[in-house]
Amino acid sequence: MSARIGEFIRLRRDIHAHPELAFQEHRTAALVADKLRAWGYTVHTGIGGTGVVGVLRRGQGARRLGIRADMDALPIAEAPGREWGSRRAGLMHACGHDGHTATLLAAARFIAEDLDFDGTLHLIFQPAEEGAAGAQAMMRDGLFERFPCDAVYALHNIPGIEAGHFHFRTGASMASSDNVTIRLQGVGGHGAMPQTTADTVVAAAAVVTALQTVVSRNVDPLHSAVVTVGALHAGQANNVIPEEATLELSVRALDREVRALLRERITELVQLQAASFKVKALIDWREGYPVLVNTPAETRLAAGLARELFGAARVNTEAAPLTASEDFAFMLEAVPGCYVFVGNGGPGTPGACSVHNPGYDFNDAIIEPGAQLWTRLVADYLKASG
Ligand SMILES: [Zn+2]
Ligand SMILES: [Zn+2]
């Protein structure tokens, strides 16, 4: 495979140089579609906006496998100095989705040219993973009705883990992420005469303090959750008591029931705290990505294949869960499957730079092991008989 991987390193760098934001991945989607067509895939475009599905059917087998890659970049200005650096000011592939796309394209070619299998392969290239729920957009556009899958897989690179090492986890592996805006409405007035007001600053301070008890007092200590107040805005001047205060929260959980509990308790606490200060609370709760849950059989299969390919020393099947979130979780709510982590480079190497950092870059050395795992997965899941 190695001799042919150069093409996909060049392709990765080309995608890197031309980053596109959520639902604007027109160039990337066209490139993906062209390549897939050239290798014999039936290509469907414009699914959920800029999503692309490549279909390859062989034999009479009834099994259907889906593998997904994400294509979008981020509104971050890339650190200068890279030959293949972003040519679009203020945009960059800072999460490695350029690499995930190139890896799946490499697999697409090797599978089409080398593999005898029996069944249907759906390669899913999705838009807008970064906060805009491109996976959900594709599903609402009929992804799994048009392209049914018995199992679905995806991978993400992880900085700080040795390049080409694979991490797996069964069950809840990444957190749900909900965004909440709380508006406190009181009565403004002169800072010298607080008795004539309903002070939203004091109410907001009490709300922030009360929210700290949700994780410490309501969530089972053996479960985990995050309630972060990331923004708090009120007032302009020291002698004016403001009418309004606004809080922005990020709420995360690794369990569907904990997620529901957080919503219930935060709503109650905010309403009751506000009422105790004669302040009105308006809560805008926007559900983001769900908890990402890997199913046991599909995780075991991929981990076993990784162990056969790369050896047990490069495969961890007990990876710790992450409080970050990922919209592949929507697909895993509908279809069994597994989200695979592949190391981007260990501590002290360039690959260790955190995603979403201006200095981050996808490690080209992990395209090959990623493509090998996908190819092997197709060979095994859609095993040709005889
Ligand atoms: Zn990201
Ligand atoms: Zn990402």
Side-chain angles (χ1 to χ4, degrees):
M1 194 180 277
S2 284
R4 294 191 289 169
I5 213 74
E7 172 189 354
F8 296 96
I9 293 175
R10 287 190 295 279
L11 189 71
R12 201 286 293 181
R13 293 178 178 188
D14 177 66
I15 299 171
H16 187 89
H18 301 91
E20 296 171 301
L21 287 180
F23 294 120
Q24 296 166 30
E25 306 90 338
H26 300 290
R27 181 187 186 274
T28 312
L31 186 154
V32 165
D34 284 350
K35 294 284 178 195
L36 292 175
R37 267 189 216 107
W39 301 324
Y41 288 77
T42 306
V43 175
H44 305 261
T45 59
I47 303 163
T50 41
V52 178
V53 176
V55 183
L56 195 62
R57 206 167 276 133
R58 282 190 180 157
Q60 304 299 317
R63 297 249 279 180
R64 305 150 306 182
L65 175 66
I67 308 177
R68 165 276 208 181
D70 40 14
M71 302 188 289
D72 57 321
L74 284 155
I76 296 174
E78 183 165 2
R82 229 167 249 142
E83 201 185 307
W84 55 91
S86 172
R87 294 185 199 162
R88 295 187 171 142
L91 303 185
M92 83 171 278
H93 270 289
C95 205
H97 300 183
D98 50 345
H100 307 158
T101 297
T103 300
L104 189 52
L105 284 174
R109 177 163 195 178
F110 305 147
I111 291 162
E113 293 183 352
D114 304 344
L115 218 60
D116 182 24
F117 65 87
D118 191 25
T120 303
L121 175 63
H122 293 133
L123 300 185
I124 303 163
F125 294 83
Q126 76 152 78
E129 192 288 321
E130 296 286 0
Q136 194 180 41
M138 287 188 83
M139 289 168 70
R140 285 182 174 157
D141 208 2
L143 176 67
F144 291 128
E145 289 77 29
R146 294 169 65 187
F147 310 100
C149 295
D150 301 305
V152 67
Y153 288 83
L155 66 71
H156 205 292
N157 75 96
I158 300 255
I161 290 174
E162 301 296 322
H165 284 225
F166 287 83
H167 283 213
F168 296 88
R169 180 179 180 82
T170 300
S173 304
M174 295 185 76
S176 59
S177 169
D178 295 331
N179 306 305
V180 188
T181 303
I182 299 166
R183 280 172 59 211
L184 300 176
Q185 293 178 332
V187 179
H190 200 295
M193 290 169 279
Q195 76 280 13
T196 65
T197 72
D199 189 343
T200 54
V201 171
V202 176
V207 165
V208 172
T209 304
L211 287 175
Q212 306 312 307
T213 67
V214 176
V215 174
S216 69
R217 302 292 86 182
N218 300 133
V219 174
D220 181 333
L222 297 178
H223 288 147
S224 49
V226 181
V227 178
T228 290
V229 182
L232 168 54
H233 297 289
Q236 309 270 5
N238 75 327
N239 61 349
V240 179
I241 290 171
E243 291 255 331
E244 198 164 296
T246 309
L247 297 85
E248 301 283 352
L249 277 58
S250 174
V251 180
R252 293 163 189 263
L254 278 161
D255 178 292
R256 286 167 189 146
E257 275 142 46
V258 173
R259 186 188 195 190
L261 172 76
L262 293 175
R263 182 168 189 162
E264 181 192 314
R265 281 303 292 149
I266 289 171
T267 303
E268 278 173 2
L269 269 178
V270 170
Q271 295 292 3
L272 293 170
Q273 286 289 323
S276 75
F277 294 94
K278 296 195 185 310
V279 163
K280 202 167 130 192
L282 303 171
I283 302 173
D284 177 22
W285 196 286
R286 300 178 304 282
E287 286 201 346
Y289 298 167
V291 180
L292 183 142
V293 182
N294 291 324
T295 50
E298 287 70 22
T299 306
R300 217 166 25 240
L301 172 67
L305 295 174
R307 227 182 280 114
E308 282 174 30
L309 277 168
F310 309 114
R314 271 173 66 179
V315 179
N316 173 359
T317 53
E318 303 284 338
L322 302 174
T323 51
S325 60
E326 158 62 54
D327 82 341
F328 186 60
F330 286 115
M331 294 194 186
L332 288 177
E333 281 189 329
V335 180
C338 177
Y339 193 56
V340 180
F341 294 112
V342 53
N344 196 56
T349 71
C353 176
S354 164
V355 290
H356 295 209
N357 178 293
Y360 169 84
D361 195 24
F362 183 87
N363 184 350
D364 288 319
I366 66 174
I367 295 175
E368 183 165 18
Q372 284 174 323
L373 180 63
W374 288 154
T375 305
R376 185 62 179 274
L377 179 69
V378 174
D380 194 274
Y381 197 88
L382 304 176
K383 208 171 286 166
S385 51

